[in-house]
Amino acid sequence: MSAVGFPLVLAPVAAVVALTVALRPRTVDRVAPRRLAVIRAALATGAFAVVTVEVLGGSGLLTLPAFAVAWLLFVVGCVAAAGWRQRRDRRNLSTEAVTASLADAVDRTAAPALVTAGSGTSVSSGTRLATEVRPAGAGFDRAPTPGGDGPARWWAPITGFWRTAGRGERLLAGTVGGLVLVELLIALLAAPNNFDSQTYHLPKVERWVAQGDLTFWATAIHRQVTIPPGAEYLLLHLRLFTGSDALFNLVQWAAGVGALLAVTRLTAQLGGGRRAQLLTAFLLATTPMVTLQATSTQTDLVCAAWVVCAATLALDGLRRRAHLGDLLALGAATGLAAVTKTSGLLAVGPLLVLWGLGQLRLAYLARSAGRRRIPAGSLARTVGASVLILVVAATVVGPFLGRVYAEFGHPLGPDRLRNSVPMERHDPPSVLVNALRIGHTAFDTPLAPLRDVTARVIVGVADLLGVDPQDRDITFGRESFPEPSWYPDEDRVAFPLAGVLALLAVVAALRRPARISPGTAGALRAYGLVVVVAVLLHTTMIKWQPWGNRLLLYALAVAVPLAGLWLDALLRRSASARLAGTSGRAAGGRRSIATTVVVTVLATSALAGVLAVSYGFPRRLVGTGSVFTTAEWELRFLRRPQWAEEYRWAADAVRAAEARRIGLSQRNDDWEYPWWLLLRDDNGRSPELVALQSVVDGRPAADPTSVDAIVCVGSRTLCADLVPDGWEFEFRSYVGYALPGR
């Protein structure tokens, strides 16, 4: 990393820290205010990063100097905002202190008269202000004191938690913290080696750098231009800052940390105390899909993080009328989810409906109570607020959708994209079969007999309903159901423990929410309904596919708070039964069994998380392919080790020929990214790679006679047909090249 790049890498961190101070809640009745401040800061920084790419990309300025200036100005603005907020809070604190002193003096003077008159006690407004008890939030995130949010004050709740926590709570927190730190180590050591990243995630980034703008290009891999690029926009900043992909894995790792903060705040908003929040964090952090994606250049965890940020902001709308800052944050979360992965909107949409209904309910209750500050046109206010949310979201995702519409005549891309992943049949039998197959894959376990039995049952149900379980209209590509998914692979791994717990918790929240959280039963039931709607929308809109579990990650993250609350309620009732004594011996026995089951499930979940981070594929701590013992180039090809040497062989031949303009022959699922690494010049500049096949109408492929060399991937026949007469052509098992004859 260059001397210039290092401070630029720290710019997003500095911005989040400064905005956390500047955007902390002004009122003291917010749940988990520090976490809310971090979420707001992350959303503001993420939105800035995306909009910066769009603005500079539209101007042809996707360059390091342009990004450096943009981030410098942004960080300066964030620091200035944080300083202004600190000064404002100190002034307010001084005013409160003076008011409290005067009130105390008045009370001391008036006290004898009050006692003599026998009229009881009275408390002045100034005394109430000085002595009010601020709500602690829920759990371990207490409200910050105005006027001082230095490191010591932010660190105090953590040290306080550790002093007061029981052994079980410490074990939960220690497990989560340990996994996060180990994932950080792997993310820093491992080279990006995700399959889809080799095909289209990372080639997108390199193409933007090479051409300096966001203009679409000719390519044989349509996903390079049609799939929403929100996560890749974030990677682009790191690519320009560092000149490499060394820190790419940190984007998903940071998304994992953000998701943990958001789901614990969701748990607190639904009435969960400290233990419930820790259980929620524990369940999400130990889910193998999360531990594996947290060290990857995939995009599912980024999408899940933005979705749960939207969820916690939407729940705020059930408790208080939204202000401008709330609307901007909710709009940013919606836009960021949409520009990262449109499937995330299947959860964000119902959450926005819940937020709108909550706002209308609060307005109705306020009018009923005669509060004059609520305007009569509460419906118009809510509609206007909703429009503002959509406008902010459109500002984030609109430019990309506009380019897609201009290129393909549809904001969701070409027909081949709209017909590949989305369901093409929506009749109830087809949707039911699709849901059953998705559930089977999501809840898969190492028990092969169980997998086989349940798969046969689903196929039998499909036959009874007259639905082909392999129908292409409800099945992605040429895949065939069933497909094992229990093993710890980042693209496929199932989540039976967290998934089943979430399913049971949703049922409990809908049937008897007061048993889980008596104080927030209505909100709990409403949130459970939102989770159900999101899952139903997913199974109605998304085809089954063997790697569909990672597409469900956002739904799992939204549902996990319910599981944490439910487990905490089981433990709470078990403790109450033990305290009841001998009169409740039978019930106490049942509660003890429940406690044993909960502890067993948690231990199994911890084991699954540890095994996934230790032996997971394709990045692991120990065993063959360990990040400690495997060379960088071999680690990049861990999924296809036989290809590593072939890419080097072809690239060496092309570089030796001093080719400048290089043609690329490949198919839709072949690996393009290695060429961008191997064919850079000695100064690290990107090669001029042009596609010799194109599936993008209006973007014709390059003429093979216009290039200095051809590199081929996947198909010998496809490449041989492109090689001009008189050229030398060499091809091995997967990779080849062609050069003009000497």
Side-chain angles (χ1 to χ4, degrees):
M1 187 185 302
S2 66
V4 176
F6 182 74
L8 291 177
V9 167
L10 296 180
V13 179
V16 170
V17 171
L19 286 175
T20 298
V21 176
L23 300 178
R24 64 179 182 265
R26 295 184 178 182
T27 58
V28 297
D29 61 342
R30 294 294 185 111
V31 175
R34 286 191 172 90
R35 276 170 279 175
L36 176 58
V38 174
I39 289 167
R40 288 174 171 177
L43 290 170
T45 305
F48 169 79
V50 169
V51 172
T52 297
V53 172
E54 291 289 359
V55 171
L56 295 181
S59 307
L61 293 174
L62 295 183
T63 61
L64 176 58
F67 274 62
V69 170
W71 276 102
L72 177 61
L73 294 175
F74 184 64
V75 171
V76 169
C78 294
V79 172
W84 176 85
R85 180 63 188 274
Q86 290 284 69
R87 291 191 298 273
R88 179 179 180 275
D89 286 346
R90 280 196 291 268
R91 287 196 302 269
N92 291 342
L93 187 61
S94 299
T95 303
E96 291 179 7
V98 171
T99 304
S101 299
L102 292 174
D104 288 342
V106 171
D107 286 345
R108 284 194 297 271
T109 303
L114 289 172
V115 173
T116 302
S119 58
T121 60
S122 66
V123 182
S124 69
S125 60
T127 304
R128 287 198 302 271
L129 181 61
T131 60
E132 68 175 342
V133 178
R134 299 181 184 271
F140 42 81
D141 187 357
R142 298 185 179 274
T145 303
D149 260 354
R153 289 186 180 275
W154 283 73
W155 187 253
I158 299 176
T159 57
F161 156 74
W162 200 256
R163 287 195 304 270
T164 59
R167 183 168 53 185
E169 291 179 333
R170 290 184 179 183
L171 185 59
L172 291 173
T175 302
V176 173
L179 285 173
V180 169
L181 291 177
V182 172
E183 290 159 9
L184 174 60
L185 177 65
I186 296 175
L188 290 171
L189 292 178
N193 61 356
N194 173 263
F195 193 103
D196 284 348
S197 295
Q198 306 278 14
T199 300
Y200 67 96
H201 289 310
L202 301 189
K204 279 186 192 180
V205 178
E206 294 298 327
R207 182 69 65 176
W208 294 330
V209 173
Q211 63 188 28
D213 58 36
L214 300 175
T215 305
F216 288 158
W217 54 90
T219 178
I221 304 172
H222 75 88
R223 292 169 293 175
Q224 292 183 1
V225 297
T226 57
I227 298 293
E232 291 90 338
Y233 281 174
L234 305 182
L235 295 177
L236 175 61
H237 292 266
L238 294 177
R239 169 65 175 85
L240 290 173
F241 293 165
T242 65
S244 71
D245 58 14
L247 301 181
F248 278 9
N249 294 330
L250 293 184
V251 170
Q252 284 254 111
W253 178 84
V257 174
L260 289 175
L261 292 175
V263 296
T264 55
R265 185 170 188 268
L266 276 167
T267 307
Q269 290 171 289
L270 294 171
R274 186 167 70 184
R275 184 175 63 187
Q277 295 172 55
L278 287 171
L279 287 168
T280 298
F282 180 87
L283 289 175
L284 186 63
T286 56
T287 299
M289 178 66 75
V290 174
T291 63
L292 293 171
Q293 287 232 4
T295 63
S296 170
T297 48
Q298 263 293 8
T299 62
D300 307 284
L301 194 52
V302 176
C303 176
W306 298 136
V307 170
V308 290
C309 285
T312 189
L313 294 171
L315 278 192
D316 278 339
L318 302 184
R319 302 180 69 245
R320 58 181 296 123
R321 296 287 283 174
H323 299 292
L324 178 61
D326 302 318
L327 302 178
L328 295 177
L330 195 50
T334 302
L336 288 169
V339 80
T340 301
K341 223 173 182 68
T342 50
S343 57
L345 294 178
L346 300 177
V348 174
L351 286 166
L352 291 178
V353 172
L354 177 64
W355 174 87
L357 294 175
Q359 291 291 285
L360 291 175
R361 174 180 173 274
L362 289 174
Y364 173 78
L365 293 176
R367 285 202 313 274
S368 299
R371 297 180 184 175
R372 296 181 180 178
R373 68 175 182 271
I374 301 297
S378 56
L379 178 59
R381 174 180 172 176
T382 302
V383 171
S386 302
V387 170
L388 178 58
I389 291 172
L390 296 179
V391 168
V392 174
T395 301
V396 176
V397 70
F400 168 71
L401 294 181
R403 288 196 305 277
V404 173
Y405 180 81
E407 189 74 29
F408 302 106
H410 195 288
L412 298 182
D415 291 341
R416 64 182 302 162
L417 176 63
R418 301 198 306 274
N419 296 333
S420 59
V421 176
M423 287 273 285
E424 297 178 78
R425 291 179 57 180
H426 299 93
D427 55 288
S430 297
V431 172
L432 176 60
V433 171
N434 192 55
L436 291 174
R437 295 182 304 164
I438 289 174
H440 179 274
T441 304
F443 297 148
D444 192 18
T445 69
L447 303 175
L450 177 63
R451 181 189 315 117
D452 295 339
V453 169
T454 53
R456 285 197 295 270
V457 169
I458 292 173
V459 172
V461 170
D463 291 339
L464 289 175
L465 296 175
V467 177
D468 179 4
Q470 316 301 346
D471 186 353
R472 296 303 100 187
D473 288 342
I474 62 174
T475 305
F476 180 84
R478 300 178 181 178
E479 306 302 324
S480 179
F481 174 83
E483 189 73 28
S485 61
W486 63 266
Y487 51 92
D489 184 298
E490 66 174 352
D491 288 335
R492 294 174 180 255
V493 63
F495 31 82
L497 290 174
V500 169
L501 288 174
L503 179 62
L504 295 174
V506 167
V507 173
L510 294 177
R511 291 186 67 245
R512 305 181 70 177
R515 296 192 66 185
I516 299 176
S517 181
T520 58
L524 186 62
R525 176 171 284 164
Y527 187 77
L529 183 60
V530 165
V531 172
V532 170
V533 171
V535 174
L536 289 177
L537 287 174
H538 185 98
T539 56
T540 303
M541 302 298 294
I542 306 296
K543 293 177 180 178
W544 175 87
Q545 49 192 283
W547 44 88
N549 289 340
R550 63 181 182 82
L551 303 182
L552 264 176
L553 187 56
Y554 74 93
L556 177 70
V558 170
V560 158
L562 297 176
L565 286 162
W566 183 62
L567 289 179
D568 180 64
L570 289 179
L571 294 174
R572 188 172 62 247
R573 291 199 297 271
S574 178
S576 299
R578 286 196 299 270
L579 293 175
T582 56
S583 60
R585 185 170 299 170
R590 290 194 296 270
R591 302 304 183 195
S592 297
I593 293 174
T595 301
T596 302
V597 171
V598 169
V599 172
T600 302
V601 169
L602 293 177
T604 306
S605 182
L607 179 62
V610 171
L611 289 177
V613 81
S614 300
Y615 295 97
F617 196 75
R619 292 165 304 282
R620 56 178 51 167
L621 283 177
V622 296
T624 304
S626 166
V627 294
F628 294 115
T629 60
T630 307
E632 177 189 337
W633 190 249
E634 283 69 29
L635 193 60
R636 292 180 184 275
F637 285 84
L638 206 59
R639 285 194 180 275
R640 300 291 187 272
Q642 68 275 18
W643 295 348
E645 182 53 36
E646 293 192 16
Y647 270 95
R648 281 192 181 277
W649 160 74
D652 288 344
V654 171
R655 288 174 63 90
E658 298 182 351
R660 296 177 178 273
R661 180 177 166 88
I662 303 165
L664 176 60
S665 172
Q666 61 188 3
R667 300 165 301 179
N668 184 59
D669 211 31
D670 290 324
W671 286 15
E672 178 181 319
Y673 184 60
W675 298 125
W676 291 98
L677 299 176
L678 290 169
L679 296 176
R680 291 180 184 174
D681 63 21
D682 295 335
N683 295 320
R685 288 190 294 267
S686 299
E688 185 182 0
L689 277 177
V690 295
L692 300 181
Q693 299 99 358
S694 179
V695 296
V696 182
D697 295 338
R699 306 283 174 177
D703 185 343
T705 61
S706 70
V707 300
D708 303 323
I710 295 175
V711 290
C712 315
V713 183
S715 172
R716 178 189 183 97
T717 302
L718 189 66
C719 187
D721 291 341
L722 295 169
V723 176
D725 294 337
W727 283 39
E728 297 178 0
F729 178 46
E730 299 286 341
F731 197 93
R732 292 186 177 178
S733 63
Y734 180 73
V735 176
Y737 68 90
L739 295 170
R742 294 181 175 84

